[in-house]
Structures are given as C-alpha cells and as structure tokens.
Amino acid sequence: MRSLYLLLSLVVVAVSPSTVPTSYEGAQVWRITPPTLDIIGKIKKIGALFELDFWKDPSAIGRPVDFLVPAKKAGDIRDFLSREGITDYKVYIEDVQALLDDHKSAYEKPRERSATRDVSSFDYSVYHTVDEIYEWIDMVDSEYPFATKRQYGVTYEGRPMYVLEFKKTSSDPKPIIFVDALIHCREWISTASLLFIFKEMLQNPTYSHMMDEADWYFVPMINIDGYDETWNGDRLWRKTVSTGASSLCRGVDGNRNWDSHWSEDGASPLPCSYTYHGPTPASESEVRNLADLILSFGFGNISAYVTTHSYTQLILYPYGWSTQLTPDDQILNDTGRMMSEAIEAVHGMYYTWGPAAEGIYVTSGATDDWTYDEAGVKMSYTFELRDLGQYGFLLPADQIIPNGEEFLAGLEVLKNFVVDDFNP
Ligand code: 0X9
Ligand code: ZN
C-alpha cells in the first residue's frame, strides 16, 4: 500500500506543472571536450544512464559537451567517469542556483521600471513575461498600420498563438521572410533579441529598408506554455508541457517533433528524455499549428526561414537528420559565411556556420529540415545565439541588445540575399 502511494505521488510530481520554482541547489554544469569517438560514445552512455540534461549534446571530437549535474547525481557521475577513464572534465558552471538567483534578481528589478506602454518606451534590455510579450504584440499591431497580429491556433494549455505580419504596401510582390523564437522555452535570448530587432526595423531609419524590401512574419513565442513554466516553475524547462496519457514525464522536444524524418537518429523515443520526439509527428499543437501556418503560404513561397535558439553562436542549415548535403548547400554556406562576417563586424562575436548534422550533431524532426523539404524554403536557417557556455541559457540581460544588434546584421545579409534572388 505504502509503495503504491509512493508510486502515485511520484506520478503526480512528474506530470503536474510546477507550482513552486524548481530548485537547482548544488547543481553544476560540467564540460567535457571529447578527444576521441570512444569518449563521445561513453558520454552518450552516461547521458542515457543518468537521464542527463545536455546543455550541449555530444557531437564531434574536440567539441565541448555541457551537461547539468544535479547535486544528488554528482557522486555517481564522478565515479562513472573515473571508471570509464574520463578524467579530463571541468566544472563549467560552479553553482547553477546562484547563477539563477543572480539572473532572477537582475531581470526582476528593472522590469518594475517599464511603466509606459508603447513600442518606443518598451524596455528591450530586460527579459519579458508571456503577458508582457502579448502586450508588445498588441502595441505593434495598434501602432503600425502595416503590422497585423494574427492568431494561428492555441497552445496545449489554451493560450493564443500569434504571428505578426509586417507587410508594407507596394505595387511589386516582395519576398517573404519568416522568423520564429522560443520553441525551446528556456532559450530566452531568442525572443528578447528579436523584440529588439523588430523594434529597430520599425523605428530606426537605418533599417527601414528591411521592411520596405521584404514582407516579414514573426512568431515571437512558439512554446508559450513552456515559457510561462520557465518564469513560474522551472527556469530550465526545455520541452512543451503536454502530458501523454501513459507517460510518467511531461513534455515533448518541439525541435524533434516536426514531420521530417521524425523519430530517426538524434531524437529520443523516451518520454522522460530532454529530446523526446513525441508520440506522433507534429503531435504538439505548438508545432502542428505553426506547420499549418507555414504551409498556408504555399510550397516555395517563403524565401527565408529563421528559427532562433541559443546557445553556442552557430548558423546552421539543413540537413540535421543526415550528413547528406542539400542541393542548395553552396548558397546556404556562402550566405552563412557572409552572415557570420557581418555579425562579427558588430561586436567581434564569432558564429560558426555549416550544415546542422556536421555543425552540431545529428537531429531528426527539427524545424529547419521540415521548412526546407516540406515547405520549400530554400534559405532555412537555425540560429544559435550567444553565448559559448559561460552563462548558457542564463544569459545576462545586458547582452540582449548587443546580441540583437549582431543578429540584426546577420538578418540584413539574409534579406539582401533573398531580395536579389527573388524571382516572383
Ligand atoms: O538540439 C537542438 O534542438 C538545437 N540545439 S539547442 O541547444 N538549442 O537545443 C540544435 C538543432 C540542430 N539541428 C538542426 N538545426 N536541424
Ligand atoms: Zn534550442
């Protein structure tokens, strides 16, 4: 009886949304830079065994792997590493909870100051809650006649999902550029930097050509339920919050759930995994509704798609599911390099570019492979924004604007390419 009660309470804990902030007391982030394929294999084994949250998955020789080590697993992981002969690892983030506390106090204080409510006075140097971002969407919609908010669905928990359309009148057709953020809800910089970027496009005369020459569609928050969870429960939540009927753990990795080589390599069939691909392709309303919205433009009618993540400063393009290259590899590579150069010229930050499976690791069911193959978007990119791991997902708010400035320079290059390439 006692064990049945224990089991039931475990199930309740595992599937119910957090009501108190998740504690990371004693947790650390460790980094291993694997020198051999054998060590990469061993790291993967440790990951599966300890159900690790990889902040950066094992990929290639010499590429750092970051993972969260909860206090209660630290001893066992250390023993396992030493048994496997892995001694060369370092504690990369010493105290995750202290970093979380710093991060929290930094974003809570200045937010109280932003009292005025319009696009100009909105505070772009801090992170914003779900409701504040909804409010920003409304402000853009009401202040700019060529900006329209459109609802394209509801989330698992019933929140409205919006895309902002920026379509200045013009006698000639213009290329369409689609930008999204926050499919992984802990990657706050993705939305924060894009709010700043779209404000610049709207208000800074230097960037007015961005919306004169292209029509833009912007989804500021894909995984809205998860984002709310990161503000009110677990700051490091990554997945959706859906609950599978037979599952002990909630959530699906949105970037493994797209109907493109779904459930192949680089995605997990295990519901408790951080990279769980879900029960069926596009099982998540967040993915399904966005896919329907993209398809409503018609195959091949979107010129560029940028899905925004963090971290590690990468510009990735298809394919992720295989190391096979696309027929557009050369142009994706050249434009990736030019974006990287433009980004570096702003604040000296270096972004690596390349096909996703080689540039990072094999992943199936990701957004960019789907937009490329299924929606016919030739210029499909995944941006991984700052940093290189010092703060990881807990990037301090004072980096939002600099990160936005460099990302904007990258998007300007992409816009120039699609305008030149446009052939309606
Ligand atoms: O694993 C992911 O989904 C992405 N990294 S993250 O740290 N933001 O979670 C990388 C995806 C790479 N694959 C493709 N772009 N296809
Ligand atoms: Zn991500």
Side-chain angles (χ1 to χ4, degrees), residues 136-358:
W136 182 85
I137 295 172
D138 283 341
M139 292 182 311
V140 172
D141 174 80
S142 66
E143 285 176 41
Y144 295 88
F146 58 89
T148 314
K149 116 178 164 175
R150 299 194 191 288
Q151 186 178 348
Y152 64 93
V154 290
T155 63
Y156 176 77
E157 290 182 334
R159 294 184 175 86
M161 304 170 78
Y162 295 115
V163 58
L164 269 169
E165 174 190 77
F166 298 93
K167 202 175 163 65
K168 287 189 182 173
T169 42
S170 137
S171 45
D172 297 323
K174 292 189 276 181
I176 293 172
I177 303 176
F178 210 115
V179 183
D180 78 34
L182 221 56
I183 196 164
H184 290 149
C185 50
R186 63 186 174 185
E187 298 166 9
W188 286 12
I189 185 62
S190 63
T191 296
S193 64
L194 283 166
L195 298 187
F196 168 78
I197 284 173
F198 278 89
K199 185 269 291 180
E200 286 291 282
M201 291 195 212
L202 289 167
Q203 298 193 335
N204 184 341
T206 311
Y207 294 105
S208 55
H209 65 102
M210 303 284 281
M211 288 183 181
D212 292 341
E213 296 170 18
D215 292 334
W216 293 77
Y217 290 80
F218 173 36
V219 172
M221 304 180 274
I222 298 178
N223 183 2
I224 309 172
D225 300 342
Y227 189 52
D228 190 64
E229 168 69 23
T230 62
W231 273 85
N232 297 311
D234 182 355
R235 170 63 186 87
L236 294 172
W237 189 253
R238 163 184 170 94
K239 301 192 283 182
T240 61
V241 301
S242 61
T243 309
S246 62
S247 160
L248 272 184
C249 291
R250 67 195 176 119
V252 166
D253 183 345
N255 210 29
R256 302 292 182 278
N257 189 239
W258 293 77
D259 192 3
S260 174
H261 296 272
W262 179 81
S263 95
E264 294 181 17
D265 290 350
S268 172
L270 306 172
C272 295
S273 163
Y274 291 87
T275 54
Y276 175 44
H277 53 50
T280 52
S283 56
E284 303 312 282
S285 32
E286 293 75 11
V287 169
R288 200 172 52 249
N289 293 332
L290 182 54
D292 288 346
L293 171 69
I294 295 166
L295 290 177
S296 72
F297 287 81
F299 189 88
N301 289 334
I302 297 175
S303 295
Y305 194 105
V306 173
T307 180
T308 316
H309 290 248
S310 71
Y311 59 95
T312 39
Q313 299 174 196
L314 297 168
I315 302 167
L316 303 169
Y317 50 83
Y319 288 120
W321 71 275
S322 143
T323 50
Q324 173 188 320
L325 301 180
T326 71
D328 296 305
D329 189 72
Q330 191 61 52
I331 199 65
L332 286 161
N333 195 291
D334 287 347
T335 311
R337 176 182 40 79
M338 289 190 292
M339 289 195 277
S340 170
E341 286 165 359
I343 287 173
E344 195 175 5
V346 180
H347 294 296
M349 289 299 192
Y350 185 73
Y351 284 57
T352 310
W353 69 95
E358 285 190 359

Side-chain angles (χ1 to χ4, degrees), residues 28-46:
Q28 298 183 320
V29 172
W30 293 4
R31 171 168 285 192
I32 303 176
T33 307
T36 61
L37 284 177
D38 179 53
I39 304 257
I40 294 179
K42 287 176 175 169
I43 301 171
K44 288 185 178 166
K45 204 162 105 188
I46 300 166

